[in-house]
Amino acid sequence: MVTRVATYTNHTLLSDLALRNAARVTDLQNQASSGYKSRDYSGIADSTQRLLNLEGEYTRTEQYLRNTTQAKLRLQSMETAVDSMITIATQMKTLLIQASSALQGDDVNIRGQARQAMEQVANLLNTNLDGRYLFAGGRSEEPAVDLDKIYAPDNYISDADVTLTDATTLTSLGITSGQIQIVSTDVDGNSVTTTVNYNAATDDIGDLRDAINSVTTNGAIASMRGLGGEGDPRLNIENVGNGSITISESGVGNLLTVLGMEKIPNPREDADYYDGDQLILNARVDDQYEVSYGILADNPAFKKLIQGLGVAAGTEDEDALVVAIGFISDAIDNLPNVQGQIGLDISNIERFEARHEDFKVFAAQAISDIETVDVPLTLAELSQHETALQASFISISRAADLSLANYLR
C-alpha cells in the first residue's frame, strides 16, 4: 500500500485511532484477567496517594485489632477464673456453715475440702494464656502464686479467754518461770530447735515476745493480733516462712498451759504468696489511646478468699471456722466487683474493636474500588473495543484500496 498526499491525513487518523484502540484492548484484557486496574501505581496515578494513605491506615487498624483481640482474650480468661472462684467461695461457705452444725459437722471433711479449694484457687490465679501468667502483672513469665506460700503460716495462738497486752506480767497470769522449745521446719524440711527462757518474776508478754524475736535462728516470730485481725490481741507464735512449727514446754514452766496456746492458723494481712509485681498491663487500641487492664493476684478479694481457706484447711476450731467464714464472706462480697471491673475493661476494649472493624470494612472497600475492576463490565467494554478495533482495521484496509481506476470502475 502506498500512502499518497491526498490520503495521508485520513490514513494517519485511522492508524492513530486503531493503535489507541489496540492499547485500550490490551489494558482491558489485562484488567479482565487479573481483576486489577493496573499492575503498578502509574496506572492509577490520580489515586495513588489516596491508596497509599488507605493502605497505611488499614495496616494500623489490623494491628489495633490484634491488640484488642489479645487483650480481650486475656480478660475473658481472667473473668472466667474469677467466676470459678466465686463458685468455690460460695460452696466453701456452705460447707463451713454445715461444719458448724452439731448435726452435720461430723459428715464434712472441712480441712480436706478447704485444701482442695485452696489448690483450685491457686491454679486459677496461675491461669496461663500463650505463655503469660495473667494475674502476675508484668512478671508474666512466672506463676503469680507460689503454692508453697499460699497456706497460712503454722501458728500457735493464745486462748481468747486470756486477756493479754504487751504490759501484762507473767506473774499476774499465774505463770511460773521456765523455758519453751521451738522447733521450726522450713519448706525444704530443714529444722532448727531453739530454747527461749522466761522469768515470771520480771518478764511481761512484751518481754516474752522480744525474747522469741531476738533469736534469729529459730525460724519463729511472735506478734500480738486478734484471730483474723479482729477481737482482742492474742499472742501468736508462727513459723517465719511456710514450714511447720512445734512448741513444747520444758522444765517446770506452765506458760503454754496458762495461755492456752493452740495450733490454729491466723493469717497476716500481707500477701506473701504473691510472686508477681504491681505493673498493670496496657494495650494500644488507637492512635491516641491505651487501655489499662488486668487484675493482680494480690487483690484484696483474692487475699480474703485465700486467708479464709487457709484457716479452714489448718484447723477445726469453732472460733477459727467462724473467722474463716468471715474471710470467705468478704471475698464473696468483693469478687463480683473484681469481675465487674474485668467486664468493664472488656466493654471498653470492645468499643474500640467495633470502631476498627467498621473502618476496616470501609477501608477494604475503598482500596478495592481504587485497585480493582468490575470484571463483567470490563468484559463488556472489552467486547465493544474489540469490535471497534476490527472496524478500524477494515476501514484502513478499504482506504488502502481506493484509487482513480477503482473509483471510475
Side-chain angles (χ1 to χ4, degrees):
M1 179 186 77
V2 178
T3 302
R4 294 176 296 278
V5 173
T7 61
Y8 177 78
T9 301
N10 288 336
H11 176 77
T12 301
L13 179 61
L14 288 173
S15 297
D16 183 57
L17 290 173
L19 288 173
R20 275 195 261 170
N21 213 6
R24 182 58 179 158
V25 167
T26 301
D27 286 341
L28 290 172
Q29 287 174 337
N30 289 333
Q31 291 177 9
S33 61
S34 67
Y36 286 91
K37 293 178 181 178
S38 175
R39 298 182 184 276
D40 50 41
Y41 287 118
S42 63
I44 51 171
D46 58 335
S47 302
T48 297
Q49 189 58 55
R50 181 166 175 258
L51 175 62
L52 291 173
N53 292 339
L54 283 169
E55 287 177 336
E57 295 211 19
Y58 186 89
T59 300
R60 283 196 299 274
T61 298
E62 284 191 316
Q63 182 59 57
Y64 292 143
L65 284 173
R66 284 193 290 270
N67 293 348
T68 58
T69 298
Q70 184 184 63
K72 192 166 75 168
L73 284 174
R74 291 173 180 172
L75 285 167
Q76 287 172 339
S77 296
M78 298 174 81
E79 187 178 39
T80 300
V82 175
D83 186 64
S84 298
M85 284 184 238
I86 293 173
T87 301
I88 291 170
T90 303
Q91 292 173 344
M92 280 306 304
K93 182 178 179 181
T94 301
L95 288 174
L96 287 168
I97 293 173
Q98 290 177 358
S100 65
S101 168
L103 297 177
Q104 302 182 65
D106 294 339
D107 299 329
V108 180
N109 177 16
I110 197 65
R111 295 182 69 174
Q113 294 282 357
R115 291 188 71 85
Q116 183 179 4
M118 183 78 91
E119 291 176 3
Q120 291 174 341
V121 169
N123 288 331
L124 289 169
L125 290 175
N126 284 336
T127 297
N128 186 298
L129 181 66
D130 295 332
R132 297 181 66 93
Y133 290 92
L134 302 183
F135 291 94
R139 294 184 58 187
S140 56
E141 71 283 354
E142 298 291 339
V145 170
D146 186 340
L147 290 174
D148 291 332
K149 296 180 181 179
I150 198 167
Y151 293 97
D154 217 359
N155 179 73
Y156 281 81
I157 187 170
S158 62
D159 193 282
D161 294 332
V162 181
T163 302
L164 296 177
T165 67
D166 276 348
T168 303
T169 63
L170 302 188
T171 301
S172 68
L173 297 171
I175 296 174
T176 57
S177 299
Q179 58 183 212
I180 56 175
Q181 286 187 334
I182 303 174
V183 179
S184 300
T185 305
D186 62 22
V187 292
D188 296 323
N190 302 311
S191 62
V192 176
T193 301
T194 304
T195 300
V196 178
N197 296 300
Y198 56 89
N199 188 329
T202 59
D203 292 345
D204 55 26
I205 293 297
D207 294 326
L208 176 66
R209 183 165 56 83
D210 291 341
I212 294 172
N213 292 336
S214 66
V215 184
T216 58
T217 60
N218 68 355
I221 55 174
S223 61
M224 295 290 291
R225 65 181 191 278
L227 181 57
E230 300 179 354
D232 294 331
R234 298 161 70 173
L235 179 63
N236 291 263
I237 304 175
E238 62 190 297
N239 188 283
V240 171
N242 290 81
S244 64
I245 185 173
T246 302
I247 306 176
S248 60
E249 195 87 55
S250 60
V252 295
N254 61 351
L255 183 140
L256 298 181
T257 303
V258 172
L259 296 183
M261 300 297 290
E262 185 178 357
K263 186 178 283 190
I264 297 175
N266 187 21
R268 295 187 299 268
E269 285 299 310
D270 58 26
D272 189 49
Y273 62 85
Y274 181 57
D275 278 350
D277 59 22
Q278 298 303 309
L279 179 65
I280 300 298
L281 300 181
N282 293 320
R284 172 69 68 178
V285 296
D286 205 355
D287 289 344
Q288 304 295 328
Y289 199 85
E290 283 187 345
V291 174
S292 297
Y293 69 95
I295 304 294
L296 305 179
D298 66 346
N299 184 278
F302 302 148
K303 185 167 64 176
K304 290 289 186 181
L305 178 57
I306 288 171
Q307 288 175 332
L309 293 176
V311 172
T315 184
E316 295 177 358
D317 179 84
E318 291 185 8
D319 291 340
L321 293 183
V322 170
V323 169
I325 291 174
F327 278 131
I328 294 175
S329 296
D330 288 344
I332 291 172
D333 291 340
N334 290 301
L335 283 172
N337 296 333
V338 175
Q339 193 175 37
Q341 179 59 54
I342 295 173
L344 186 63
D345 289 340
I346 292 175
S347 177
N348 195 17
I349 288 173
E350 285 179 338
R351 286 192 299 107
F352 286 95
E353 184 180 45
R355 183 186 306 172
H356 291 315
E357 288 286 4
D358 291 343
F359 178 79
K360 184 179 176 182
V361 172
F362 161 77
Q365 184 60 52
I367 290 171
S368 177
D369 290 343
I370 294 173
E371 289 185 329
T372 64
V373 295
D374 186 327
V375 174
L377 288 177
T378 302
L379 290 172
E381 186 180 356
L382 174 62
S383 177
Q384 293 174 351
H385 281 275
E386 286 177 336
T387 301
L389 182 60
Q390 289 176 355
S392 298
F393 290 153
I394 293 172
S395 297
I396 292 172
S397 174
R398 288 182 177 176
D401 289 338
L402 287 177
S403 65
L404 180 60
N406 288 337
Y407 174 77
L408 292 175
R409 238 190 297 174

